[in-house]
Amino acid sequence: MRIVIDTDPAMGSLGGDPEDCFAIMLALNSPELQVEGITIVQGNVPVDHGYANAVHWLELLGRSEVPVMAGLELPMSPVRRRQRSWLELRGKLERLVPRRQPAAGDPHAVDYLIQTVLENPGEITLVTIGPLTNVALAHLREREFARRLAGVIMMGGSAVVPGNITPMAEFNIWSDPDAASIVFEAGVPITMVGLDVCHETHLEESSVQMLSENPTELSRFVVQAVTPWIKFRAAANGSADLHLYDSLAVAVAAKPELVTTQEAFVAVETEGRHCEGATVTYLDPTLRKILVKRDVNAQVALEVRAQEFQELFESRVIKPML
């Protein structure tokens, strides 16, 4: 599968969720996948942080040939731009890696997405592990974009479990619900890998300990980046385990059999006072027909072979760092 990863990597920013970079490593170490490029979007951290983190991570992995393109820095809606203080707070995080700027001739992420998909009709799958701002604008700017995509494998949303940023919303969708709504309405085949299955995955504290006991340039960077997030999680939730949200989405691209999906119609709440960013998921075909009169627009992952995924993650992410 030829993929482009659209991501908001925070590894490299102390206190930022570091998990996107594991997903990138998993993709690069999966023979089932060919990573065409990586596009950066606002989300966990501002785009300039995410761009620097991704470039640095690829250098550590010895994969600097993979192109990285910086994308949209704010949510689509001007109203939500004014509402969001999140990015301002994340922009103040201490950096582990130096600032980087794209080269003068590098394309914008949205231009890259459009060009790559249009030049390779039916060949490119997007693995989106951040907010959907870049993808939504690509669709709005070029109506052939969705038609020529092979599909979208999306880390985002939840069907039947609570949210992780509000009681109703998952972070990636909440960060730009207008963009998410556009993507779900675009007509592209979507596999939604949401909290229903992601919360069954864990980065074990023992794995981090093993990395710390076997120092290499790569493992030292990972431990330095991951430890503040583990401490934050432990203080907030009483558990030091990290969920491997983004890595699971990449794993599903490589091995779709890891999850069991059900067809659904998914709507994104963009106007609710308390439920902004909720993915309202109609799984019942009768209710779908009677209440919303809409066709299926996504395959929603509801069960995961968690142990098989953990073994895959250990073999393709943890062990190569030792």
Side-chain angles (χ1 to χ4, degrees):
M1 179 185 289
R2 299 173 65 190
I3 67 170
V4 173
I5 301 174
D6 191 67
T7 177
D8 55 342
M11 183 179 285
S13 304
L14 281 174
D17 182 349
E19 203 263 312
D20 296 63
C21 288
F22 292 141
I24 292 170
M25 186 175 183
L26 178 59
L28 293 172
N29 287 343
S30 291
E32 303 90 347
L33 303 177
Q34 178 176 322
V35 181
E36 302 287 329
I38 296 170
T39 51
I40 308 299
V41 68
Q42 59 84 23
N44 280 321
V45 290
V47 165
D48 65 330
H49 283 228
Y51 178 83
N53 295 341
V55 172
H56 184 74
W57 183 240
L58 290 172
E59 288 176 351
L60 287 176
L61 296 176
R63 296 299 303 272
S64 294
E65 81 282 0
V66 178
V68 180
M69 278 65 59
L72 292 165
E73 299 179 359
L74 293 168
M76 296 192 71
S77 165
V79 173
R80 294 187 211 290
R81 293 176 190 176
R82 291 194 296 271
Q83 291 172 340
R84 292 285 185 256
S85 60
W86 174 269
L87 286 172
E88 295 177 9
L89 294 172
R90 308 302 273 180
K92 298 176 183 177
L93 293 173
E94 180 184 349
R95 293 174 182 251
L96 294 175
V97 303
R99 292 177 181 271
R100 308 262 187 146
Q101 293 296 327
D106 287 354
H108 188 275
V110 174
D111 296 325
Y112 170 82
L113 287 172
I114 292 172
Q115 181 178 355
T116 302
V117 170
L118 264 58
E119 290 180 354
N120 301 277
E123 292 292 325
I124 304 297
T125 297
L126 300 185
V127 181
T128 63
I129 55 177
L132 291 156
T133 317
N134 287 337
V135 183
L137 185 58
H139 170 63
L140 292 179
R141 281 183 43 191
E142 174 53 70
R143 290 295 177 174
E144 284 298 311
F145 179 74
R147 296 188 185 97
R148 299 194 189 188
L149 266 176
V152 173
I153 298 173
M154 172 194 303
M155 191 283 116
S158 63
V160 298
V161 302
N164 65 347
I165 186 70
T166 75
M168 298 301 296
E170 179 275 327
F171 175 81
N172 285 344
I173 306 298
W174 171 86
S175 292
D176 197 341
D178 304 278
S181 181
I182 288 167
V183 173
F184 274 108
E185 293 287 341
V188 62
I190 293 172
T191 300
M192 186 176 101
V193 182
L195 302 183
D196 307 86
V197 288
C198 292
H199 279 171
E200 300 299 315
T201 67
H202 303 276
L203 173 64
E204 304 291 347
E205 192 173 10
S206 59
S207 295
V208 179
Q209 181 65 27
M210 185 163 50
L211 292 176
S212 67
E213 292 172 354
N214 295 272
T216 65
E217 184 180 13
L218 189 58
S219 66
R220 279 193 295 267
F221 176 72
V222 169
V223 171
Q224 188 179 12
V226 167
T227 299
W229 190 247
I230 289 176
K231 290 180 178 178
F232 170 79
R233 290 272 304 171
N237 304 320
S239 170
D241 284 354
L242 302 182
H243 295 304
L244 296 167
Y245 302 98
D246 304 317
S247 297
L248 180 59
V250 168
V252 169
K255 294 184 176 295
E257 67 274 12
L258 286 173
V259 294
T260 301
T261 63
Q262 183 174 331
E263 61 183 18
F265 172 74
V266 180
V268 179
E269 178 55 68
T270 60
E271 299 177 4
R273 179 181 176 187
H274 300 292
C275 301
E276 181 182 57
T279 41
V280 183
T281 305
Y282 292 87
L283 295 165
D284 186 295
T286 302
L287 294 179
R288 199 162 58 230
K289 181 177 180 180
I290 295 173
L291 295 180
V292 294
K293 299 180 175 60
R294 296 291 301 271
D295 293 330
V296 167
N297 66 353
Q299 297 290 326
V300 176
L302 295 177
E303 297 178 4
V304 58
R305 297 179 181 177
Q307 185 58 40
E308 291 182 31
F309 164 74
Q310 294 295 150
E311 292 170 359
L312 183 77
F313 182 83
E314 291 287 330
S315 67
R316 298 186 182 185
V317 178
I318 298 300
K319 289 182 180 179
M321 287 193 277
L322 298 176

